[in-house]
Amino acid sequence: MTVAVMGGIGMLAAPALVAGAASDTSVDPVASTVTPVYETAPVAYASAASVPRATTVAGRGDVDPAWSRDAAARAGIPEVAVRAYARAELILRGTDPSCGLGWTTLAGLGYVESQHGTIGGRALLPDGHSSTPILGPALDGSGDFAAIPASPTSTQWHNDPQWDHAVGPMQFMPSTWARWTSDADGDGIGDPNDIDDAAYAAGRYLCADGRDLTSGSGWGAAVFSYNHSAAYVDQVYAAASAYSQRTK
């Protein structure tokens, strides 16, 4: 069995957001060889607040609060999550404008991975953490899962000294997080359990290597790099498209 590039992304099952979306994010556990290609990218963009960037901390405050409240209500997403996705977009709009990442792509990922940090009846707290930590299953070699031993560094995130787990609302593997650690909320800590940090890290990952997420082919390739599963990419596409339509 081949674990996804992000090392466990998609291991948590979320119910279907729209008709036709798979209800089990592990329906295609073995890596696919064909990258899905779409006619268009399901991209919608956030609205920035009219405040000088110099007054913000790592992008915090750049999201228009009126826009985030409206988008959250229309999309049915916790406002804390909408702000995290939008903040990640706005930061990357400044640092990597050619990528063209829209917040709805991150929202699609966040829905499929953990229902925006609320999977299993959890609540997403104002500080960006879920009411209880979100862990993927132990990667112990059973079933369709690879065997990935834990390390002292990875154990700090999931408290399992034997086997690794994907962690947080975007389901980062600790080894992947070590490379893409991000601090989007300016609290001095890069935490995969914080949706602010995790969304920004996911955005950086999607935009890496000069990817263009404004085209259907570029978008599909970026999300496929996040998880080598065509079924997973289709599910993210369905969710991101629904959010784009709801918030027009």
Side-chain angles (χ1 to χ4, degrees):
M1 182 269 180
T2 301
V3 174
V5 169
M6 293 295 282
I9 295 298
M11 290 182 178
L12 297 177
L17 175 69
V18 294
S23 61
D24 181 0
T25 61
S26 61
V27 293
D28 188 9
V30 179
S32 302
T33 58
V34 179
T35 304
V37 176
Y38 305 96
E39 290 186 5
T40 60
V43 177
Y45 297 104
S47 178
S50 56
V51 296
R53 188 171 180 81
T55 67
T56 69
V57 177
R60 181 174 288 281
D62 280 1
V63 182
D64 182 347
W67 174 87
S68 65
R69 287 192 297 270
D70 180 68
R74 288 173 179 267
I77 299 174
E79 189 177 351
V80 172
V82 169
R83 285 198 304 267
Y85 304 142
R87 181 178 301 116
E89 177 207 310
L90 293 172
I91 296 173
L92 286 162
R93 192 187 297 178
T95 60
D96 193 358
S98 63
C99 176
L101 174 72
W103 75 274
T104 50
T105 294
L106 295 173
L109 289 173
Y111 172 77
V112 172
E113 295 300 352
S114 69
Q115 295 174 250
H116 316 294
T118 68
I119 196 168
R122 294 171 175 82
L124 187 61
L125 305 178
D127 67 357
H129 290 77
S130 297
S131 50
T132 58
I134 299 173
L135 294 179
L139 298 177
D140 58 6
S142 63
D144 290 322
F145 298 121
I148 303 180
S151 69
T153 300
S154 67
T155 297
Q156 70 174 314
W157 295 119
H158 50 63
N159 295 318
D160 183 345
Q162 186 172 8
W163 300 110
D164 252 350
H165 300 247
V167 298
M170 304 302 271
Q171 286 289 278
F172 273 92
M173 280 294 291
S175 58
T176 309
W177 183 254
R179 178 179 177 186
W180 296 96
T181 300
S182 301
D183 176 18
D185 54 12
D187 64 0
I189 301 171
D191 184 355
N193 294 296
D194 182 342
I195 199 167
D196 296 295
D197 298 344
Y200 179 36
R204 290 175 56 215
Y205 185 96
L206 292 173
C207 289
D209 300 323
R211 297 190 183 110
D212 176 7
L213 273 70
T214 64
S215 70
S217 59
W219 188 94
V223 178
F224 188 75
S225 76
Y226 201 83
N227 185 333
H228 287 227
S229 163
Y232 174 90
V233 180
D234 284 343
Q235 191 175 19
V236 173
Y237 188 90
S241 296
Y243 292 137
S244 296
Q245 290 294 323
R246 291 179 185 180
T247 56
K248 281 186 174 178

